[in-house]
Amino acid sequence: MKLMGAEILIECLKEQGVKTVFGYPGGTVLDIYDALYRDGSIEHVITSHEQGAAHAADGWARVAGKTGVVIATSGPGATNLVTGIATAYMDSVPLVAITGNVGANFLGRDSFQEIDIFGITLPITKHNYIVKDVNELADVVREAFYLAGSGRKGPVLIDILKNVQSEKAEYTPLSPATYRPKPIPEASVLAAAEAIKASKRPLIMAGGGVIAAGATEELIALAQKLDAPVVSTLMGLGGFPASHPLFMGMMGMHGTATAAKLCLESDCIVAVGTRFSDRVALNRDKFAADKTVVQIDIDNAELNKNVFVTHAVLGDVKEGLRTLTPLLAACKRDFSAHAQQLRAEERAKEKQPELGHRVLIEAAKLAPKDAIVVTDVGQHQMWTAQYFPIEHPRTFCTSGGLGTMGYGLGAAIGAAKASKKHVILVTGDGCFNMNLNELSTAVTHDLPITILLMNNHALGMVRQWQKLFYKSRFAQTDVKKRTDYVKFAESFGAKGLFIEREEDVVPVLKEALSTPTPTLVDCRIGNDENVLPMIKPGQTYDTIMTEWEVKE
Amino acid sequence: MNRYTISALVSNKSGVLTRVAALFARRGYNIESLSVCKTEREDLSRMTIVLKGDDYILGQMIKQMDKLIDVKKIRCVEEDAVSRELLLVKVKTDSETRSQVLEISQIFRANVVDASPEATILELTGKPTKLDGFVTMLMPYGVMELARTGVTAISRGKTTINDETDYKEQI
């Protein structure tokens, strides 16, 4: 049948099973919005700003485990997506971003709201398209979804000229191409298996690839068979249950002291779906120089990119583990008993938590078991990673690679939409101020989001670095905003609460977490509550700081 | 620092060169030359890239390029592969110097493609080092303008770039 380009787009979205999209209308997507309106079967969530929509589609995708969709108009609409697309790109989140552009007649003439979003998003997408011919549209949309959700996942952008949206073409429905990761032959893991078998102190390092591949079950099987402790990157949290006795917490710049010690002591690291980022490996040359390293990753370019490994296995993590684990012998190891003892000792040494930490520890106890945790970026993000145990994959959203301040609220909206579960957003006053306009979106949709605003009147993480590396010259990090966040929340139609003292924590959290609509808790914490442990950038794991060493 | 020649078969559509060039720029790869041409297949173009770097850079560049959706086949061409470049050079010549320039051209087996009272255009095909040598010899006479195509290369024997497997089909 002959359909308009905009209608073909909607039909193709339906082919892919899309039921929810995020976006913001505008001049060059009028036809798309009209087609959405006439079709009526796809729910559209309008945000306050396109950036919020992009983060929402990202949060939706991380929680749903499917490709998120965001729509924006040309020019500023498209450029406002950029940070959201880049965030998804750095964290390998499948996203299809659809933008309108001016008609062919106006293209290349610096027309109103014309921008080269194809060129702009070239380095931050897995692939992108500019559609100038309506006959190509359907196949482009299908390919975009396939690319976003296959291999190493990532964002794909489709820029559709305005005239293409109203021109007609023949449309034939097609069921979506399914991606099945290729099985990994035994031959390609044999050497790795031998190396692991020969090791005495194997340590499993789990990254975001475990979650992307849905390989939690396989990872647990590997850890139990090897009796090997598991440490996780920030992106890997939830990929291995936090309550599992073999779980030793997060590793890296703000990882646990146990994780750091185990990294130093182990003679073999099994790195699963991780790229040894600088926040994890820190000193890439020394990180694993003296050990056997097995790396399984779906991205060929990540193998041997940051850390040279002794055994690289290319392919899907789930498939890799399925082939690898049966080749290993089950055993019990002193190393895992040692690891558990280290972790218990570290826990016992933990001091009386400061207020911000306390809020997170109690929130973790009081939160519904199936709650989704979303963070912004900075100190509160690290505290959450350290003190909020994440049990299941796809229940934790955080901007790891790009470190996008302002990611949280949009992502929380997407997470709530995807899961229909209670969402806890942990944010800071710096991050929250970047995209707080989206509180209205959460309110409009009555989403069950509890916002724990770690309000320290500071850009805490940057301040911490100034304290450490710039002799406490706090340039522009002491925030003097006089915002009353309780009133702010109320003015947007949300509930506003606050925590000022220890005794407020439990009752206020109880009230907030039992409220099924947007609730903001202004947690008024001190400005010198810092993140420890810490390994300074570029340093080795033995230099881990567990006590604050700088005198004010 | 080594010099490597990489061949790639890429989709013959607009934007592909931009993708490849942008990749080099943002990853900081040091490119000496890049040439693009048509192939025996209408849907594919061939790129020949000369890269300066070490084994690590070479490996990363091939892997990163291989990730681009529009890159279908890629390989590093062996050192003994057939590689050629075309040079056009306009040299200042007058009645006095012309015969000397022609003599040099004969040594290098270059062709005269245009002559005028004040200038001669010469054409030479060969390995880049040969072209360099030729240009050096012409310098004293006054090189007014020169154009080089960049290297294009093909492996010896019966193996071809088509024997390579696309990384994207392995996962």
Side-chain angles (χ1 to χ4, degrees):
Chain A
M1 66 192 129
K2 285 243 180 219
L3 292 180
M4 275 168 57
E7 294 166 338
I8 292 174
L9 172 68
I10 305 306
E11 288 306 318
C12 288
L13 292 179
K14 282 153 68 181
E15 279 178 11
Q16 302 291 332
V18 173
K19 296 206 168 58
T20 306
V21 298
F22 301 86
Y24 205 99
T28 60
V29 286
L30 275 163
D31 287 301
I32 295 174
Y33 275 83
D34 189 53
L36 268 173
Y37 182 93
R38 283 184 283 117
D39 177 80
S41 72
I42 296 176
E43 181 193 17
H44 179 279
V45 179
I46 178 172
T47 52
S48 302
H49 186 285
E50 288 90 350
Q51 186 185 350
H55 292 322
D58 169 308
W60 189 94
R62 291 189 205 225
V63 169
K66 290 186 271 191
T67 301
V69 180
V70 59
I71 304 173
T73 192
S74 60
T79 54
N80 281 344
L81 293 180
V82 168
T83 304
I85 295 172
T87 304
Y89 182 69
M90 291 291 273
D91 290 346
S92 310
V93 175
L95 205 68
V96 169
I98 297 159
T99 52
N101 208 334
V102 299
N105 256 341
F106 296 92
L107 200 70
R109 293 170 186 267
D110 300 316
S111 308
F112 178 65
Q113 293 193 331
E114 181 192 354
I115 204 77
D116 173 20
I117 197 64
F118 174 89
I120 290 174
T121 57
L122 208 82
I124 54 165
T125 50
K126 197 174 162 189
H127 195 60
N128 58 3
Y129 303 88
I130 176 159
V131 184
K132 296 178 180 171
D133 178 356
V134 69
N135 294 301
E136 289 173 4
L137 181 60
D139 285 340
V140 163
V141 177
R142 289 166 186 148
E143 190 177 81
F145 272 88
Y146 183 80
L147 291 175
S150 62
R152 179 176 182 176
K153 299 168 176 67
V156 177
L157 177 128
I158 312 172
D159 193 28
I160 309 172
L161 301 197
K162 188 169 165 68
N163 58 295
V164 169
Q165 298 166 27
S166 55
E167 283 161 13
K168 288 196 167 181
E170 192 60 34
Y171 167 77
T172 320
L174 206 66
S175 52
T178 46
Y179 167 70
R180 252 189 218 97
K182 298 252 188 324
I184 294 180
E186 228 175 73
S188 55
V189 300
L190 272 181
E194 286 310 315
I196 297 170
K197 274 199 264 183
S199 71
K200 297 248 174 340
R201 297 176 303 281
L203 175 71
I204 297 170
M205 175 176 169
V210 173
I211 297 168
T216 294
E217 211 177 291
E218 287 76 7
L219 186 67
I220 296 172
L222 173 75
Q224 289 178 346
K225 190 163 189 190
L226 271 182
D227 192 26
V230 177
V231 292
S232 170
T233 67
L234 177 68
M235 293 309 301
L237 292 177
F240 191 84
S243 64
H244 196 288
L246 287 171
F247 188 64
M248 299 300 142
M250 185 170 71
M251 67 183 302
M253 184 173 273
H254 294 296
T256 62
T258 306
K261 196 142 198 289
L262 295 174
C263 282
L264 290 166
E265 290 175 353
S266 84
D267 59 351
C268 172
I269 290 181
V270 185
V272 188
T274 173
R275 61 189 173 92
F276 298 98
S277 92
D278 58 301
R279 285 297 191 264
V280 169
L282 297 147
N283 185 322
R284 61 174 186 246
D285 297 324
K286 293 190 184 148
F287 174 72
D290 56 343
K291 351 180 173 281
T292 302
V293 183
V294 173
Q295 184 185 9
I296 310 175
D297 204 280
I298 197 155
D299 184 347
N300 200 23
E302 293 302 349
L303 299 172
N304 286 311
K305 184 181 88 176
N306 289 332
V307 166
F308 286 105
V309 302
T310 45
H311 300 83
V313 179
L314 171 65
D316 177 73
V317 161
K318 190 184 181 90
E319 293 297 333
L321 294 179
R322 275 186 179 166
T323 313
L324 177 69
T325 308
L327 299 174
L328 303 169
C331 62
K332 285 281 156 209
R333 280 170 215 274
D334 295 342
F335 189 55
S336 81
H338 165 67
Q340 287 173 43
Q341 195 193 336
L342 279 179
R343 186 75 187 116
E345 283 169 13
E346 186 181 1
R347 282 232 162 89
K349 267 197 283 188
E350 269 165 22
K351 282 184 275 193
Q352 184 69 18
E354 293 171 276
L355 189 59
H357 288 67
R358 185 68 202 282
V359 168
L360 286 169
I361 292 166
E362 294 302 330
K365 287 186 204 154
L366 295 168
K369 286 293 151 243
D370 58 356
I372 311 281
V373 180
V374 179
T375 79
D376 254 304
V377 169
Q379 290 182 317
H380 69 269
Q381 178 189 31
M382 292 300 113
W383 296 336
T384 310
Q386 294 171 332
Y387 291 95
F388 206 118
I390 308 294
E391 274 302 296
H392 306 287
R394 306 205 174 281
T395 61
F396 181 60
C397 300
T398 196
S399 168
L402 195 67
T404 307
M405 287 178 71
Y407 165 78
L409 190 47
I413 289 166
K417 272 284 166 196
S419 66
K420 318 260 186 272
K421 305 266 169 62
H422 201 98
V423 174
I424 298 167
L425 166 64
V426 187
T427 182
D429 52 325
C431 289
F432 187 65
N433 270 285
M434 285 203 176
N435 280 325
L436 45 67
N437 47 11
E438 298 305 343
L439 187 58
S440 63
T441 313
V443 169
T444 309
H445 289 266
D446 286 317
L447 298 175
I449 300 176
T450 300
I451 302 169
L452 302 179
L453 174 64
M454 297 294 164
N455 180 6
N456 59 358
H457 283 93
L459 305 178
M461 187 59 96
V462 182
R463 189 183 183 280
Q464 174 168 342
W465 282 49
Q466 288 169 334
K467 183 171 171 172
L468 260 180
F469 305 117
Y470 293 86
K471 300 203 167 83
S472 295
R473 293 189 299 272
F474 299 124
Q476 298 300 314
T477 52
D478 283 325
V479 177
K480 303 210 167 56
K481 288 191 171 66
R482 294 182 204 161
T483 312
D484 180 331
Y485 291 99
V486 173
K487 279 189 190 152
F488 164 80
E490 286 166 352
S491 73
F492 267 56
K495 191 191 259 189
L497 301 169
F498 69 91
I499 290 174
E500 219 160 23
R501 297 159 307 164
E502 288 279 329
E503 49 269 42
D504 300 337
V505 175
V506 173
V508 171
L509 283 178
K510 274 189 178 158
E511 184 182 350
L513 291 166
S514 58
T515 308
T517 50
T519 306
L520 184 147
V521 185
D522 180 10
C523 309
R524 297 162 188 171
I525 64 172
N527 66 357
D528 201 33
E529 200 172 317
N530 290 302
V531 184
L532 285 176
M534 179 174 183
I535 306 169
K536 291 175 189 166
Q539 297 293 308
T540 47
Y541 270 54
D542 57 327
T543 64
I544 189 165
M545 238 173 85
T546 51
E547 297 285 336
W548 202 252
E549 62 189 20
V550 176
K551 288 185 192 74
E552 296 222 31
Chain B
M1 212 60 135
N2 294 322
R3 188 177 273 120
Y4 302 97
T5 308
I6 293 139
S7 293
L9 291 181
V10 304
S11 306
N12 177 19
K13 49 184 173 189
S14 66
V16 180
L17 182 60
T18 316
R19 283 183 205 283
V20 172
L23 173 72
F24 296 163
R26 72 174 175 272
R27 299 260 174 202
Y29 303 144
N30 197 351
I31 297 302
E32 206 157 80
S33 78
L34 167 68
S35 74
V36 191
C37 63
K38 295 203 281 188
T39 65
E40 71 279 11
R41 277 176 58 178
E42 202 173 308
D43 58 333
L44 293 178
S45 307
R46 187 182 179 108
M47 285 188 182
T48 310
I49 301 141
V50 178
L51 166 79
K52 270 171 90 172
D54 53 22
D55 282 350
Y56 171 77
I57 299 280
L58 171 72
Q60 268 294 308
M61 188 178 121
I62 289 182
K63 286 168 163 185
Q64 295 291 357
M65 267 188 77
D66 210 359
K67 273 168 67 173
L68 296 177
I69 307 303
D70 287 324
V71 173
K72 305 298 177 192
K73 304 275 180 185
I74 185 161
R75 68 154 45 169
C76 180
V77 178
E78 311 79 4
E79 232 170 287
D80 70 338
V82 181
S83 73
R84 293 289 182 270
E85 190 178 3
L86 172 73
L87 162 82
L88 291 175
V89 59
K90 187 180 283 184
V91 192
K92 203 169 163 189
T93 46
D94 52 32
S95 51
E96 211 172 295
T97 57
R98 191 171 297 116
S99 60
Q100 295 170 29
V101 167
L102 289 180
E103 198 178 314
I104 295 167
S105 301
Q106 270 171 3
I107 300 170
F108 282 87
R109 290 190 208 140
N111 298 322
V112 177
V113 286
D114 184 63
S116 60
E118 285 118 32
T120 305
I121 302 179
L122 301 158
E123 173 197 329
L124 177 64
T125 306
K127 291 200 177 214
T129 43
K130 180 178 171 184
L131 271 48
D132 293 345
F134 185 48
V135 173
T136 310
M137 292 297 286
L138 296 176
M139 278 301 190
Y141 302 96
V143 171
M144 298 163 75
E145 188 177 2
L146 74 76
R148 292 169 71 152
T149 57
V151 174
T152 192
I154 208 158
S155 295
R156 288 184 193 273
K158 69 167 187 177
T159 70
T160 73
I161 192 166
N162 293 305
D163 300 334
E164 301 293 329
T165 38
D166 183 356
Y167 147 73
K168 297 175 282 295
E169 279 158 20
Q170 290 176 51
I171 48 168

